[in-house]
């Protein structure tokens, strides 16, 4: 037949074909009645209140210690379960708990005896760890595992712990007063910091508000500029459109005026054509007849003038031929005269040259005195000595004439005075 057990207990089957016995923690098993036997053992967690009264510490101070331990038989470990079955099979949970409690209390007393009151009181965690460690190593051989151990209470009947607490209490009170003062100081400082931060935050908030106001004003000004620009552009566009419309209207009016003017021009042209025809009928025809008559008269006058010009040209030609013959004859005579003069120059040499120069002296005197003759007014200023008036002018002319021989000598290299004397000596000798 089948037997089952929950997860908080274990079954041990022994007997026929069960050597060693079969241990099952939480499950089911098939049993043959009469030849096989089944036993159960609890796996529940046991809570133990471990008390050690008036245990002397290392310094001989008796104290009472109370600890709380949680332990159980370990069903998952087959070796521990086998050891527990060997030691506790057939015993109740109370009996098992009592055995474990006595073991724990013994270890707890042993550890208290090796520590001082201060070590136990001030470092409870260390004490709990030592008890847990020592008890676990001993109970594990019984198949019991210690789940946890916590030191619950430490007290004594000699007020030793109370005396220890007074110094600590005084220290704590002093620390409390110092802490309170420091807390008040820190509170005042924090309050001052908070006030400063509040003021700073207020100023910063005001600055932010001023910046926001400034940004708002700047953006508003920018938007106003943009709006005014768009409004101005719209107004300008409207005015431009009005101007374009007026321009179109004016253009249409001008076109109408042009058409009207074209029609007036056409009418005027028709009137001019009519008047031209009328003028042609009344004036042009008689004018053309008169023009034809005048043209004929002009043609006759032209032919008359041509004939008169031709006659005059023939007369001039004949006259020119006569004058040319006369000039030719005069030239031949002058040439013969020049030949004779040249022969005379060869024969008389200096005398002929002097004679020629003397012939030219009056002409030279005339040319010299010509500027004086052409002057309209002559003003003469006397320095107090010499001639004055016409005699002075004629004297000036004669002075210039007396300077001519020297000028001719410089230009031609001929001395007229010497040539004149030579000529006079030659004439005397002849």
């Amino acid at each position: 037949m089948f037997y089952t057990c929950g997860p908080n207990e274990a079954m041990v089957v022994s007997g026929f074909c069960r050597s060693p016995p079969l241990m099952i923690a939480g499950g089911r098993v098939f049993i043959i009645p009469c030849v096989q036997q089944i036993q159960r053992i609890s796996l529940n967690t046991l809570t133990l209140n471990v008390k050690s009264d008036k245990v002397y510490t290392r310094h001989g101070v008796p104290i009472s210690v109370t600890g709380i331990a949680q332990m159980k038989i370990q069903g998952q470990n087959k070796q521990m379960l086998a050891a527990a079955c060997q030691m506790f099979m057939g015993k109740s949970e109370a009996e098992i708990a009592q055995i474990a409690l006595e073991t724990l209390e013994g270890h707890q007393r042993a550890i208290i005896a090796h520590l001082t009151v201060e070590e136990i009181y001030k470092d409870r965690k260390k004490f709990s760890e030592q008890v847990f460690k020592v008890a676990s190593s001993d109970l594990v051989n019984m198949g019991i595992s210690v789940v946890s151990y916590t030191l619950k209470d430490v007290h004594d009947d000699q007020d030793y712990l109370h005396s220890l607490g007074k110094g600590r209490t005084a220290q704590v009170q002093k620390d409390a007063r110092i802490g309170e003062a420091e807390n008040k100081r820190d509170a005042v400082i924090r309050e001052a910091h908070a006030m400063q931060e509040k003021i700073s935050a207020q100023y910063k908030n005001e600055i932010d508000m001023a910046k926001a106001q400034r940004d708002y004003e700047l953006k508003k000004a920018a938007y106003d500029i943009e709006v005014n620009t768009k409004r101005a552009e719209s107004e300008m566009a409207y005015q431009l459109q009005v101007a374009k419309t007026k321009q179109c209207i004016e253009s249409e009016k001008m076109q109408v005026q042009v058409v009207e003017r074209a029609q007036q021009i056409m009418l005027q042209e028709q009137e001019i054509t009519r008047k031209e025809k009328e003028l042609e009928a009344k004036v042009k025809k008689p004018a053309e007849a008169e023009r034809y008559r005048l043209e004929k008269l002009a043609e006759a006058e032209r032919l008359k003038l041509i004939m008169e010009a031709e006659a005059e040209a023939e007369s001039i030609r004949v006259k020119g031929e006569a004058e040319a013959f006369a000039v030719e004859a005069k030239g031949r005579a002058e040439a013969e005269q020049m030949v004779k003069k040249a022969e005379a120059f060869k024969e008389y040499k200096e005398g002929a040259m002097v004679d020629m120069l003397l012939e030219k002296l009056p002409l030279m005197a005339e040319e010299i005195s010509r500027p004086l003759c052409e002057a309209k007014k002559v003003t003469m200023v006397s320095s107090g000595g010499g001639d004055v008036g016409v005699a002075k002018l004629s004297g000036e002319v004669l002075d210039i004439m007396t300077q001519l021989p020297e000028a001719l000598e410089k230009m031609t290299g001929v001395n007229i005075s010497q040539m004149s004397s030579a000529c006079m000596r030659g004439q005397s000798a002849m």
Side-chain angles (χ1 to χ4, degrees):
M1 57 185 305
F2 281 100
Y3 287 89
T4 60
C5 65
N8 63 336
E9 64 179 349
M11 294 184 297
V12 179
V13 180
S14 61
F16 181 73
C17 296
R18 297 298 184 186
S19 181
L22 176 63
M23 293 174 291
I24 299 172
R28 63 180 181 174
V29 64
F30 182 78
I31 299 297
I32 301 174
C34 300
V35 295
Q36 290 182 341
Q37 182 183 3
I38 184 170
Q39 291 176 303
R40 300 173 183 269
I41 187 170
S42 176
L43 302 180
N44 289 325
T45 300
L46 302 176
T47 302
L48 305 179
N49 190 7
V50 184
K51 292 184 178 181
S52 300
D53 295 330
K54 297 180 180 180
V55 180
Y56 288 93
T57 62
R58 188 172 61 184
H59 291 163
V61 179
I63 62 172
S64 299
V65 177
T66 303
I68 302 297
Q70 304 288 337
M71 57 183 59
K72 64 174 292 185
I73 297 173
Q74 187 60 258
Q76 301 299 326
N77 191 321
K78 298 298 183 181
Q79 293 179 356
M80 292 180 66
L81 181 60
C85 290
Q86 290 177 1
M87 295 188 68
F88 304 117
M89 183 62 68
K91 290 182 170 48
S92 64
E93 290 184 1
E95 293 174 341
I96 297 172
Q98 185 63 33
I99 295 171
L101 176 61
E102 291 177 355
T103 304
L104 274 173
E105 185 178 357
H107 290 300
Q108 181 173 280
R109 284 177 174 272
I111 293 171
I112 292 171
H114 287 84
L115 297 175
T116 64
V117 178
E118 288 80 1
E119 291 175 346
I120 298 171
Y121 180 75
K122 293 180 180 180
D123 196 353
R124 296 190 177 194
K125 183 177 180 182
K126 181 179 178 181
F127 175 77
S128 298
E129 288 177 353
Q130 288 183 2
V131 174
F132 178 84
K133 182 177 180 181
V134 173
S136 295
S137 61
D138 193 10
L139 290 174
V140 71
N141 296 324
M142 299 179 185
I144 299 172
S145 65
V146 180
V147 178
S148 66
Y149 175 84
T150 304
L151 182 60
K152 180 180 179 182
D153 182 33
V154 177
H155 66 276
D156 70 310
D157 297 334
Q158 307 297 325
D159 291 334
Y160 184 85
L161 294 175
H162 181 69
S163 299
L164 290 176
K166 286 182 178 180
R168 181 59 183 168
T169 302
Q171 182 67 33
V172 169
Q173 290 177 354
K174 181 186 75 172
D175 294 340
R177 289 192 296 271
I178 294 173
E180 184 179 1
E182 290 178 351
N183 290 333
K184 289 182 179 180
R185 180 199 63 189
D186 294 340
V188 173
I189 293 173
R190 286 195 295 271
E191 184 178 359
H193 285 313
M195 182 61 68
Q196 184 178 1
E197 291 177 358
K198 177 183 177 182
I199 295 173
S200 299
Q202 183 178 357
Y203 289 158
K204 184 178 179 181
N205 188 23
E206 292 178 357
I207 291 172
D208 293 338
M209 291 177 63
K211 288 182 179 179
Q213 184 68 24
R214 181 199 63 185
D215 295 339
Y216 168 74
E217 296 294 336
L218 291 175
K219 289 183 179 180
K220 185 175 181 298
Y223 293 154
D224 291 340
I225 292 172
E226 186 177 357
V227 170
N228 293 330
T229 302
K230 294 297 183 180
R231 185 181 293 116
E233 289 178 356
S234 176
E235 292 177 356
M236 292 298 294
Y238 172 74
Q239 294 177 2
L240 181 61
Q241 187 62 36
V242 171
K244 287 182 178 180
T245 305
K246 289 183 179 179
Q247 185 177 2
C248 292
I249 295 172
E250 294 295 331
S251 177
E252 294 294 333
K253 288 182 179 180
M254 291 296 295
Q255 290 180 2
V256 171
Q257 292 178 0
V258 167
V259 173
E260 292 178 353
R261 185 63 179 167
Q263 292 178 355
Q264 291 177 1
I265 291 171
M266 289 177 62
L267 293 175
Q268 291 177 0
E269 288 178 352
Q270 293 176 0
E271 182 66 20
I272 290 170
T273 303
R274 185 186 65 77
K275 289 184 178 181
E276 285 180 353
K277 291 181 179 179
E278 183 179 357
L279 182 63
E280 184 178 358
K282 293 182 178 180
V283 179
K284 191 174 182 181
K285 295 296 183 182
E288 287 181 353
E290 181 65 22
R291 180 175 62 80
Y292 180 75
R293 184 179 69 79
L294 293 175
E295 287 178 355
K296 293 300 182 183
L297 292 176
E299 183 67 22
E301 185 67 22
R302 185 178 67 81
L303 293 174
K304 177 182 177 182
L305 293 174
I306 289 172
M307 293 177 67
E308 289 179 353
E310 289 178 352
E312 186 177 357
E314 184 65 21
S315 174
I316 291 171
R317 185 182 64 79
V318 173
K319 184 178 179 181
E321 289 178 354
E323 290 179 353
F325 181 75
V327 169
E328 183 180 359
K330 183 179 178 181
R332 284 197 297 271
E334 290 179 352
E336 291 176 357
Q337 184 180 3
M338 293 296 292
V339 170
K340 289 180 180 180
K341 284 184 177 180
E343 291 176 355
F345 286 160
K346 289 180 181 181
E347 184 176 358
Y348 295 104
K349 297 181 180 179
E350 288 87 355
M353 189 176 294
V354 170
D355 183 59
M356 185 178 66
L357 290 173
L358 293 174
E359 287 180 356
K360 297 299 182 180
L361 284 175
L363 296 175
M364 296 172 68
E366 182 180 359
E367 293 298 327
I368 291 170
S369 61
R370 185 181 299 276
L372 295 174
C373 295
E374 292 181 355
K376 295 181 180 181
K377 182 178 180 181
V378 178
T379 301
M380 302 184 70
V381 179
S382 175
S383 61
D387 297 331
V388 181
V390 180
K392 179 65 175 177
L393 291 174
S394 60
E396 295 289 338
V397 174
L398 291 176
D399 290 339
I400 294 172
M401 292 298 293
T402 57
Q403 294 175 2
L404 286 175
E406 295 179 1
L408 290 173
E409 183 179 1
K410 291 179 180 180
M411 290 186 293
T412 61
V414 178
N415 192 333
I416 298 176
S417 300
Q418 293 179 0
M419 290 178 64
S420 299
S421 297
C423 289
M424 290 178 66
R425 287 196 297 268
Q427 288 179 0
S428 298
M430 291 177 62

